[in-house]
């Protein structure tokens, strides 16, 4: 299984970025893709997740209303649209794949991780 993130970069506060996570090697539709982030000196935290079959979504309170997670079945790709970005959104963003749709806010539920992509929001 391979997860490849892209789309990170630097943006001013209030701006937008869209991250992509392309998955390969997943053998069925019974999985979920989540996004986590880790800021310098902080623990990695849950951002959002989507269940591949059915498309149910979950968000951390800190990003609700600003971030949107979606998927493109034809491309095996999950997107994280990030709007109204704040300096506190600055972090390395990781996508990860879980083999079930339960407990998606917990890192230990995820079996595979991407390499991460840097998002920097300047004030």
């Amino acid at each position: 299984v391979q997860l490849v993130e892209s789309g990170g970069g630097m943006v001013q506060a209030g701006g937008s970025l869209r991250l992509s996570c392309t998955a390969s090697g997943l053998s069925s539709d019974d999985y979920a893709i989540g996004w986590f982030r880790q800021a310098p000196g902080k623990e990695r935290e849950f951002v959002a997740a989507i269940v591949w079959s059915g498309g149910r979504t979950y968000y951390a309170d800190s990003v609700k209303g600003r971030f949107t997670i979606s998927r493109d079945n034809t491309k095996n790709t999950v997107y994280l649209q990030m709007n109204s970005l704040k300096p506190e959104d600055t972090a390395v963003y990781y996508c990860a794949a879980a083999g079930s749709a339960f407990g998606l806010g917990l890192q230990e539920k995820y079996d595979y991780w991407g390499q991460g992509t840097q998002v920097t929001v300047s004030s």
Side-chain angles (χ1 to χ4, degrees):
V1 175
Q2 188 176 22
L3 302 172
V4 179
E5 302 105 331
S6 61
M10 182 177 293
V11 66
Q12 289 189 329
S16 299
L17 283 173
R18 189 179 77 161
L19 305 183
S20 300
C21 173
T22 300
S24 59
L26 291 167
S27 59
S28 75
D29 289 339
D30 294 331
Y31 63 90
I33 298 291
W35 285 97
F36 289 76
R37 66 186 182 187
Q38 188 168 21
K42 294 188 177 182
E43 298 288 322
R44 189 159 54 185
E45 63 177 2
F46 171 74
V47 175
I50 186 166
V51 179
W52 197 263
S53 177
R56 181 171 291 183
T57 59
Y58 303 87
Y59 296 94
D61 288 343
S62 59
V63 306
K64 279 181 183 176
R66 299 189 299 123
F67 291 11
T68 303
I69 189 169
S70 62
R71 75 198 191 290
D72 183 333
N73 291 14
T74 65
K75 297 181 179 179
N76 280 347
T77 298
V78 170
Y79 302 101
L80 185 67
Q81 178 66 44
M82 306 185 294
N83 298 329
S84 301
L85 282 161
K86 304 174 181 180
E88 51 264 44
D89 294 318
T90 295
V92 177
Y93 283 71
Y94 299 89
C95 71
S100 74
F102 300 98
L104 293 178
L106 302 174
Q107 297 183 53
E108 54 264 36
K109 295 295 184 180
Y110 293 82
D111 303 306
Y112 306 100
W113 292 81
Q115 81 286 353
T117 186
Q118 176 71 46
V119 171
T120 302
V121 184
S122 61
S123 58

